[in-house]
């Protein structure tokens, strides 16, 4: 088992990475005998892993109950949040309970927001079962739900007590979900670590086929990079905003199409290429580096053009409703070069429109 620690100002928590570790009771520390636990999952994940997690916790001596929310981004809503609250109240869970998020990014975000809100905060543990949630969303404490007018508009920063990453859970993951997770993997290299980006260029085919050795290194490196950023900026007042490369464009795609039509990673992939193209138009990123990013996304089986018919006129109003907009100014993460990102509020709207059009099918 590999362990990466998230070091915050007043506390720390572990990210445990391994294969088939969900069956080991020792993986679930700090849970102990007598603790009351509510596992939040969805029917798809529960079919594969709920019994394993429940059995491990029962052997530990925990009191275990569970609740399932519907599967899919379109169910990342206040209604799903209320399902969790109802289950907690019906089972008489108090402030001493622990909510365990067993699933992908939707389960992690909704269950995390429930933990932040229930009786003004209970302990949270994340068990991510998709590649995207393992390398990104389960780490760092972002929780929340979507609104019809914008993605992740309602939520809270709320850190888990531990993250348990079992790479074996990816064996049951649909390939499309694997590819979507690779978008966030590529993001880390593009914004923070040129050497990792170069490693991905060499090993992306191994990751597509879930080769264990390369997969474990990839997950560990992404978690370490995110842990380092979160340690410096827990609530996104500075450096943490860099982790949003491509997300402002990508969230516009998700909102425009309706949540769940495109996977989050698919939308982010197109958004990253738009951000890279804009970086080139601004005179920073070289054309060759834009091509390197595009080639890597293609090899990861990710889209590189907008949904059919979606124009700059569709993007821009949605981007201006993004939660990263400050004082009415669009705030974007762009690339100075591969491995080095920056945040700007001074992007020329005509160039933003041009970058969107360059990645559009009708262009």
């Amino acid at each position: 088992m590999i362990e990466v620690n998230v070091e915050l100002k007043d506390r720390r928590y572990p990210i445990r990475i391994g294969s088939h570790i969900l069956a080991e009771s020792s993986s679930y520390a700090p849970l102990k005998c007598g603790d009351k636990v509510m596992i939040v999952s969805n029917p798809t994940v529960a079919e594969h892993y709920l019994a394993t997690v429940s059995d491990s916790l029962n052997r530990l001596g925990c009191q275990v109950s569970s609740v399932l929310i519907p599967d899919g981004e379109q169910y990342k809503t206040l209604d799903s949040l209320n399902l969790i609250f109802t289950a907690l109240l019906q089972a008489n869970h108090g402030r001493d309970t622990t909510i365990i998020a067993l699933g992908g990014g939707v389960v992690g975000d909704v269950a995390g927001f429930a933990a932040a809100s229930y009786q003004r905060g209970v302990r949270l543990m994340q068990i991510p079962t998709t590649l995207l949630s393992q390398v990104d969303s389960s780490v760092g404490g972002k929780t929340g739900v979507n609104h019809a007018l914008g993605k992740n508009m309602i939520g809270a920063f709320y850190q888990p007590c531990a993250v348990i990453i079992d790479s074996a859970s990816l064996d049951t993951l649909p390939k499309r979900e694997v590819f979507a997770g690779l978008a966030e993997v590529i993001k880390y290299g593009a914004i923070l670590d040129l050497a990792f980006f170069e490693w991905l260029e060499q090993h992306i085919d191994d990751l597509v086929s879930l080769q264990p050795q390369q997969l474990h290194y990839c997950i560990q490196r992404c978690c370490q990079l995110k842990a380092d950023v979160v340690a410096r900026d827990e609530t996104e007042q500075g450096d943490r905003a860099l982790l949003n490369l491509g997300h402002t464009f990508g969230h516009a795609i998700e909102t425009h199409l309706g949540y769940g039509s495109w996977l989050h990673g698919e939308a982010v992939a197109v958004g990253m290429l738009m951000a890279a193209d804009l970086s080139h138009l601004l005179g920073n990123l070289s054309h060759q580096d834009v091509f390197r990013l595009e080639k890597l996304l293609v090899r990861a089986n990710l889209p590189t053009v907008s949904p059919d018919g979606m124009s700059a006129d569709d993007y821009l109003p949605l981007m201006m409703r993004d939660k990263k907009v400050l004082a009415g100014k669009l705030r974007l993460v762009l690339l100075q070069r591969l491995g080095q990102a920056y945040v700007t509020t001074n992007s020329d709207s005509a160039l933003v429109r041009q970058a969107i059009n360059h990645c559009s099918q009708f262009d």
Side-chain angles (χ1 to χ4, degrees), residues 187-193 239 241-245 279 332-344:
K187 175 196 76 176
Y188 282 107
I191 62 174
L192 292 172
D193 191 342
D239 284 358
L242 298 176
L243 299 175
N244 294 312
L245 177 69
S279 301
L332 293 173
V333 182
L334 301 178
L335 296 173
Q336 192 71 40
R337 59 184 64 87
L338 284 178
Q340 183 179 344
Y342 68 100
V343 180
T344 182

Side-chain angles (χ1 to χ4, degrees), residues 180 183 246-247 249-254 257 262-274 302-303 315:
H247 283 60
F249 296 100
H251 288 170
I253 292 173
E254 292 180 89
L257 293 180
W262 274 34
L263 297 178
H264 175 66
E266 294 169 339
V268 167
V270 173
M272 282 196 291
L273 196 57
M274 289 178 175
L302 287 161
Y315 277 90

Side-chain angles (χ1 to χ4, degrees), residues 183-238:
E184 296 285 4
V185 170
I186 292 168
K187 175 196 76 176
Y188 282 107
I191 62 174
L192 292 172
D193 191 342
L194 176 59
F196 182 53
F197 189 92
E198 293 169 341
W199 182 89
L200 289 171
E201 290 179 309
Q202 296 176 21
H203 296 285
I204 194 69
D205 297 336
D206 296 327
L207 297 177
V208 166
S209 59
L210 299 179
Q211 294 297 318
Q213 183 177 353
Q214 289 80 10
L215 186 61
H216 281 184
Y217 172 75
C218 171
I219 295 171
Q220 178 186 6
R221 186 61 189 145
C222 291
C223 286
Q224 186 65 67
L225 287 167
K226 185 159 190 182
D228 292 345
V229 171
V230 171
R232 296 195 302 270
D233 180 21
E234 183 177 354
T235 58
E236 202 168 302
Q237 303 302 307

Side-chain angles (χ1 to χ4, degrees), residues 280-300:
H280 173 65
L281 292 172
L282 290 168
N284 295 321
L285 195 66
S286 71
H287 178 74
Q288 179 61 30
D289 282 345
V290 176
F291 177 72
R292 285 175 69 185
L293 176 61
E294 181 178 15
K295 183 179 179 181
L296 192 56
L297 293 169
V298 169
R299 289 175 63 197

Side-chain angles (χ1 to χ4, degrees), residues 86-220:
T86 299
L88 288 163
L89 289 165
Q90 288 176 339
N92 296 314
H93 283 267
R95 284 186 173 177
D96 59 348
T97 200
T98 300
I99 291 178
I100 294 181
L102 174 63
V106 172
V107 168
D109 281 6
V110 179
F113 192 26
S117 308
Y118 185 67
Q119 297 195 13
R120 298 187 175 88
V122 298
R123 190 162 61 178
L124 169 67
M125 180 176 286
Q126 292 275 6
I127 304 180
T129 59
T130 65
L131 182 58
L132 190 147
S133 59
Q134 289 179 356
V135 300
D136 191 71
S137 63
S138 66
V139 177
K142 280 189 175 181
T143 73
V145 297
N146 299 329
H147 189 280
L149 297 179
K151 185 176 170 70
N152 294 330
M153 285 297 180
I154 307 164
F157 286 99
Y158 199 72
Q159 300 291 346
C161 65
V163 180
I164 305 169
I165 297 175
D166 191 335
S167 62
S169 67
L170 301 181
D171 293 340
T172 57
L173 194 65
K175 277 295 185 181
R176 185 184 174 194
E177 294 273 3
V178 174
F179 305 151
L182 288 173
E184 296 285 4
V185 170
I186 292 168
K187 175 196 76 176
Y188 282 107
I191 62 174
L192 292 172
D193 191 342
L194 176 59
F196 182 53
F197 189 92
E198 293 169 341
W199 182 89
L200 289 171
E201 290 179 309
Q202 296 176 21
H203 296 285
I204 194 69
D205 297 336
D206 296 327
L207 297 177
V208 166
S209 59
L210 299 179
Q211 294 297 318
Q213 183 177 353
Q214 289 80 10
L215 186 61
H216 281 184
Y217 172 75
C218 171
I219 295 171
Q220 178 186 6

Side-chain angles (χ1 to χ4, degrees), residues 1-6 12-22 24-31 60 124-128 134 138-139 161-167 216 219-220 223:
M1 188 187 299
I2 304 165
E3 191 164 295
V4 173
N5 287 301
V6 181
R12 70 195 307 234
Y13 63 88
I15 306 166
R16 301 187 182 103
I17 305 165
S19 182
H20 300 286
I21 61 174
L22 295 185
E24 302 172 13
S25 296
S26 59
S27 300
Y28 297 87
L31 292 177
L60 195 59
L124 169 67
M125 180 176 286
Q126 292 275 6
I127 304 180
Q134 289 179 356
S138 66
V139 177
C161 65
V163 180
I164 305 169
I165 297 175
D166 191 335
S167 62
H216 281 184
I219 295 171
Q220 178 186 6
C223 286

